[in-house]
């Protein structure tokens, strides 16, 4: 264990002095910290890593999945406020020396090391000594697979280290020792092991179960099915992998206790709404738990508007706001949505906008006595007047905690929703040419959006918007061809999961990041001057650079991503 800790410390430094090889004055051995009585501590430590992030390297990935996409602006006081995120937002001056990327990488590998150490401790026990052994191994493999998945979609090529690798060998494993597809297979193997060993229901709130593992394996196979060459071009869509997505999704959709919430809002409210029927797997936060500040969502503290706290980051883009417009029959305005800015007085809108985006004059988190004000914005001339709602809470909630100058909260963050699985299946069906089977899935999501208006109603019976969502009817309001179904699916993913950290990774998976982002920049530069000259460099900007400190740690063994 001593060596593992030293290696992890070295991973964030340019070099390590020889002093790190000195033995500690006191060291607990496995006989003191291991065994059936203590192994649950290792398991708990691995779970706790899900929340061990910080606002400048958040595990919610809001700077990397949202701000790097057409969904969000960085926010804050201006471009110089966490300037590296500004560079990431504009795809300019992005270098391997960004400390935020190194910290993100480092913390994910800490999480992986905790899962590996728990697996090593579990391996020392027999099932007679510890009857939950296989279940706990399944949980640790699930957590490790999840952490590697997150690293994979950000950096593409990463060193793969499991519990069988001696700590003395860490520095000898290259990030390109495995091919792109081989890395996906390693991640898939962890989820498959979890499927084979986890129960069908949670023994405790917050633990992974079999259906969470099936969902994550479906997600892995979906990403893997879009095969890429060395320049990150999507060259083929693997139909065999898509068939696996459909099969795995069916297991979750047909056999699990999970389902869509009746109201979209319930996924983003604290207290009794947490761990609801749509939440397949979530980070469990807490307050008043004996620690200084509680187990708060430190990764998202910057998203609180200045009128309630600090610091007005993670700002919904005008493009995203406009995407919620609907036509006279309630369908998206696919081709014309961004020609003019949404006007709540005249435009029909999808109600998910008021669950996702705060607008001046509208309720803040469904509180009729607290209307979001334009004055709450820190830099409206730069970043507009909207704020992100999903990660935020009402200031009256006991879960809202002052950690001056920030305000954190202990509301869960859902990592896998039932709606995710529905749309992963729909996407796979469409790419398989079975778009007719996807129609019902997409319409179910839209029907739930139709029904998600009760909390958006004022006491006098009026609503904050002209809510209108229609379902797709083949041959009546659309021609449900493969091309149209693909467009509808991608639009639905954007509206349903906006500001949840997935948008840019979707664009990369589909192979359309440059197309979408360059079109976005062309319009946005009319609104925001710093977008002038912004453009995605195809073959480079699909992924982030490997942190230079990690390359230094490997003594040059790690290879930098193409283009950096």
């Amino acid at each position: 264990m001593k060596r593992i800790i030293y290696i992890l410390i070295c991973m964030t430094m340019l070099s390590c002095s020889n002093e790190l090889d000195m033995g500690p004055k006191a060291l607990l051995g496995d006989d003191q910290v291991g065994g059936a009585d203590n192994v649950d501590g290792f398991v708990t430590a691995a779970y706790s890593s899900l929340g061990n992030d910080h606002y400048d390297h958040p595990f919610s990935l809001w700077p990397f999945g949202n701000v790097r996409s057409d969904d969000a602006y960085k926010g804050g006081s201006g471009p110089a406020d966490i300037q590296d995120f500004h560079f990431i937002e504009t795809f300019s001056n992005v270098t391997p020396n960004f400390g935020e990327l190194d910290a993100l990488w480092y913390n994910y590998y800490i999480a992986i090391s905790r899962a590996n150490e728990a697996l090593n401790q579990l391996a020392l026990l027999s099932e007679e000594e510890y009857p939950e052994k296989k279940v706990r191994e399944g949980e640790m493999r699930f957590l490790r697979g999840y952490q590697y998945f997150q690293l994979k979609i950000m950096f593409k090529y990463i060193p793969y280290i499991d519990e069988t690798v001696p700590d003395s060998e860490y520095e000898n494993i290259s990030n390109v020792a495995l091919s792109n597809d081989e890395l996906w297979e390693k991640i898939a193997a962890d989820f498959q092991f979890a499927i084979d060993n986890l129960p069908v229901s949670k023994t405790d709130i917050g633990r992974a179960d079999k259906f969470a593992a099936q969902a994550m394996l479906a997600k892995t196979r979906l990403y893997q099915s879009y095969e890429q060459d060395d320049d990150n071009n999507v060259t083929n869509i693997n139909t065999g992998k898509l068939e696996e997505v459909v099969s795995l999704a069916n297991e979750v959709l047909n056999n699990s206790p999970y389902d869509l919430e009746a109201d979209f809002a319930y996924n983003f409210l604290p207290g009794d709404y947490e761990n609801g029927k749509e939440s397949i797997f979530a980070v469990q936060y807490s307050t008043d738990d004996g620690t200084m500040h509680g187990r708060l969502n430190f990764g998202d503290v910057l998203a609180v508007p200045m009128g309630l706290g600090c610091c007005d980051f993670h700002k919904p883009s005008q493009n995203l706001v406009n995407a919620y417009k609907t036509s006279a029959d309630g369908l998206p305005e696919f081709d014309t949505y961004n020609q003019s800015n949404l006007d709540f007085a005249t435009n029909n809108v999808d109600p998910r906008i008021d669950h996702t985006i705060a607008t001046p004059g509208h309720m803040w988190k469904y509180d009729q006595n607290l209307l979001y004000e334009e004055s709450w914005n820190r830099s409206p001339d730069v970043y507009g007047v909207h704020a992100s709602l999903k990660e935020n809470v009402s200031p009256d909630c006991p879960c809202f905690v002052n950690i001056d100058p920030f305000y954190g909260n202990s509301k869960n963050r859902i990592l896998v929703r039932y709606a995710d699985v529905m749309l992963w299946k729909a996407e796979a069906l469409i790419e398989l040419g079975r778009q007719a089977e996807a129609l019902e899935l997409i319409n179910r999501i839209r029907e739930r959006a139709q029904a998600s208006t009760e909390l958006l109603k004022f006491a006098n019976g009026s609503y904050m918007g002209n809510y209108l969502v229609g379902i797709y009817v083949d041959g009546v309001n659309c021609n449900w061809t493969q091309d149209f179904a693909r467009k509808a699916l991608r639009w639905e993913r954007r509206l349903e999961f906006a500001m949840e950290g997935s948008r840019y990774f979707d664009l990369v998976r589909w192979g359309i990041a440059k197309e979408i982002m360059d079109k976005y920049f062309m319009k946005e530069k009319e609104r925001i001057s710093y977008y002038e000259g912004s453009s995605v460099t195809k073959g480079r900007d699909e992924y982030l650079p490997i942190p230079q400190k990690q390359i230094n740690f490997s003594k040059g063994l790690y290879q930098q991503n193409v283009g950096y």
Side-chain angles (χ1 to χ4, degrees):
M1 292 176 65
K2 169 177 72 73
R3 176 69 174 175
I4 291 172
I5 294 170
Y6 289 168
I7 289 292
L8 289 170
I9 291 172
C10 289
M11 288 171 73
T12 60
M13 302 175 64
L14 288 175
S15 63
C16 294
S17 73
N18 290 332
E19 291 181 351
L20 288 179
D21 292 325
M22 295 173 60
K25 294 183 181 299
L27 182 66
L28 295 176
D30 285 340
D31 58 332
Q32 294 169 285
V33 299
D37 293 336
N38 297 312
V39 72
D40 281 340
F42 290 92
V43 171
T44 299
Y47 271 106
S48 73
S49 288
L50 292 168
N52 282 357
D53 58 346
H54 190 258
Y55 63 74
D56 63 358
H57 51 273
F59 285 167
S60 64
L61 305 187
W62 63 263
F64 316 109
N66 298 338
V67 169
R68 202 161 46 133
S69 80
D70 50 352
D71 275 6
Y73 310 130
K74 174 183 72 69
S77 64
D81 198 353
I82 312 187
Q83 189 176 43
D84 289 350
F85 287 171
H86 169 71
F87 293 146
I88 286 171
E89 175 181 20
T90 57
F91 296 87
S92 61
N93 302 312
V94 177
T95 77
N97 294 312
F98 285 1
E100 293 84 357
L101 298 183
D102 181 62
L104 189 69
W105 177 292
Y106 170 67
N107 276 278
Y108 271 122
Y109 274 100
I110 287 232
I112 289 164
S113 75
R114 288 188 179 188
N116 283 339
E117 186 56 32
L119 286 166
N120 280 325
Q121 294 297 324
L122 286 162
L124 299 175
L125 302 173
S126 67
E127 290 190 64
E128 183 177 355
E129 293 174 291
Y130 190 71
E132 298 87 2
K133 175 179 178 176
K134 285 297 183 183
V135 172
R136 296 292 179 261
E137 287 177 335
E139 292 175 40
M140 295 302 95
R141 295 282 294 268
F142 174 88
L143 291 179
R144 186 175 69 190
Y146 176 79
Q147 312 292 0
Y148 272 124
F149 182 95
Q150 299 295 89
L151 283 164
K152 181 82 174 67
I153 62 175
M154 285 186 290
F155 297 103
K156 190 173 184 177
Y157 293 111
I158 52 177
Y160 187 87
I161 299 167
D162 64 18
E163 78 279 11
T164 68
V165 177
D167 49 84
S168 60
E169 290 299 310
Y170 285 6
E171 61 192 21
N172 298 320
I173 296 179
S174 171
N175 66 319
V176 293
L178 299 176
S179 68
N180 183 49
D181 197 59
E182 287 171 337
L183 277 169
W184 282 128
E185 287 298 330
K186 286 288 189 181
I187 295 168
D190 271 348
F191 292 132
Q192 185 60 60
F193 183 93
I195 290 168
D196 294 339
N197 290 279
L198 291 181
V200 296
S201 61
K202 292 179 170 64
T203 55
D204 299 293
I205 290 174
R207 292 191 187 274
D209 61 20
K210 178 177 182 174
F211 298 112
Q214 287 174 328
M216 281 305 302
L217 182 54
K219 187 177 186 180
T220 300
R221 293 307 192 196
L222 182 64
Y223 272 75
Q224 187 182 14
S225 68
Y226 292 84
E227 296 174 352
Q228 295 181 352
D229 63 17
D230 291 339
D231 293 319
N232 307 329
N233 298 300
V234 175
T235 57
N236 180 56
I237 301 180
N238 187 308
T239 57
K241 296 293 188 292
L242 293 177
E243 294 285 3
E244 288 188 63
V245 174
V246 174
S247 177
L248 289 159
N250 282 338
E251 288 294 318
V252 179
L253 299 179
N254 299 332
N255 299 322
S256 79
Y258 303 105
D259 204 345
L260 289 181
E261 290 281 7
D263 194 304
F264 185 69
Y266 298 163
N267 290 301
F268 311 105
L269 286 171
D272 292 341
Y273 293 98
E274 294 174 300
N275 299 304
K277 63 182 179 179
E278 191 167 338
S279 177
I280 296 176
F281 190 70
V283 185
Q284 307 292 314
Y285 295 108
S286 62
T287 186
D288 297 327
D289 56 6
T291 59
M292 181 182 298
H293 298 300
R295 187 74 176 164
L296 304 180
N297 186 353
F298 287 99
D300 290 326
V301 296
L302 296 184
V304 180
M306 298 304 290
L308 299 176
C310 184
C311 294
D312 204 35
F313 279 73
H314 196 206
K315 306 280 284 179
S317 70
Q318 186 63 52
N319 186 290
L320 177 62
V321 171
N322 293 342
Y324 284 94
K325 291 180 187 176
T326 59
S327 63
D329 54 4
L331 299 187
E333 296 186 352
F334 294 117
D335 301 318
T336 61
Y337 79 100
N338 205 36
Q339 291 180 357
S340 62
N341 289 345
L342 184 151
D343 183 345
F344 276 92
T346 59
N347 289 121
N348 298 323
V349 293
D350 187 310
R352 284 174 290 188
I353 189 172
D354 282 319
H355 299 287
T356 304
I357 299 171
T359 297
H362 291 212
M363 288 183 281
W364 177 260
K365 296 300 288 192
Y366 319 112
D367 186 343
Q368 301 197 21
N369 298 312
L370 184 63
L371 302 185
Y372 177 72
E373 300 178 17
E374 188 169 337
S375 63
W376 294 7
N377 289 275
R378 190 175 181 183
S379 304
D381 55 328
V382 181
Y383 298 117
V385 296
H386 297 283
S388 181
L389 282 170
K390 287 179 176 177
E391 69 269 50
N392 278 304
V393 297
S394 167
D396 294 334
C397 180
C399 63
F400 192 55
V401 181
N402 184 350
I403 47 174
D404 189 50
F406 309 115
Y407 282 77
N409 72 70
S410 60
K411 178 174 66 67
N412 285 2
R413 184 172 73 243
I414 301 176
L415 302 181
V416 184
R417 285 205 270 130
Y418 189 85
D420 270 310
V421 183
M422 292 176 67
L423 293 183
W424 294 334
K425 178 183 175 182
E427 181 177 336
L429 288 169
I430 290 166
E431 296 305 329
L432 286 167
R434 296 161 58 185
Q435 58 271 11
E437 299 172 60
L439 179 57
E440 179 184 359
L441 292 164
I442 294 172
N443 276 341
R444 276 194 65 197
I445 298 290
R446 295 186 64 76
E447 286 167 348
R448 196 266 294 274
Q450 288 176 337
S452 300
T453 59
E454 187 61 30
L455 296 182
L456 307 178
K457 182 168 60 176
F458 288 107
N460 64 6
S462 65
Y463 292 92
M464 293 188 288
N466 302 312
Y467 302 131
L468 182 63
V469 178
I471 64 171
Y472 296 104
V473 183
D474 188 21
V476 177
N477 59 11
C478 69
N479 292 315
W480 195 256
T481 63
Q482 185 183 43
D483 286 344
F484 185 90
R486 183 182 292 118
K487 181 187 294 186
L489 176 281
R490 293 177 178 182
W491 204 271
E492 209 61 34
R493 273 206 60 83
R494 187 182 190 191
L495 301 189
E496 180 73 12
F497 297 103
M499 309 301 282
E500 294 184 48
S502 63
R503 173 64 172 171
Y504 191 71
F505 305 116
D506 284 345
L507 298 180
V508 171
R509 178 173 80 255
W510 298 328
I512 60 172
K514 179 173 178 60
E515 172 191 341
I516 295 297
M517 292 307 297
D518 283 359
K519 184 177 180 180
Y520 169 73
F521 292 140
M522 185 64 66
K523 183 69 174 180
E524 284 295 321
K525 69 182 181 181
E526 300 173 6
R527 303 176 177 129
I528 300 178
S529 60
Y530 66 63
Y531 278 128
E532 184 70 39
S534 293
S535 178
V536 167
T537 298
K538 192 169 178 57
R540 180 193 70 185
D541 290 333
E542 291 83 4
Y543 296 94
L544 296 164
I546 306 299
Q548 188 61 46
K549 287 184 178 179
Q550 303 304 323
I551 294 175
N552 294 342
F553 159 74
S554 75
K555 300 181 177 64
L557 181 64
Y558 294 175
Q559 293 185 24
Q560 185 55 267
N561 282 335
V562 62
Y564 292 104

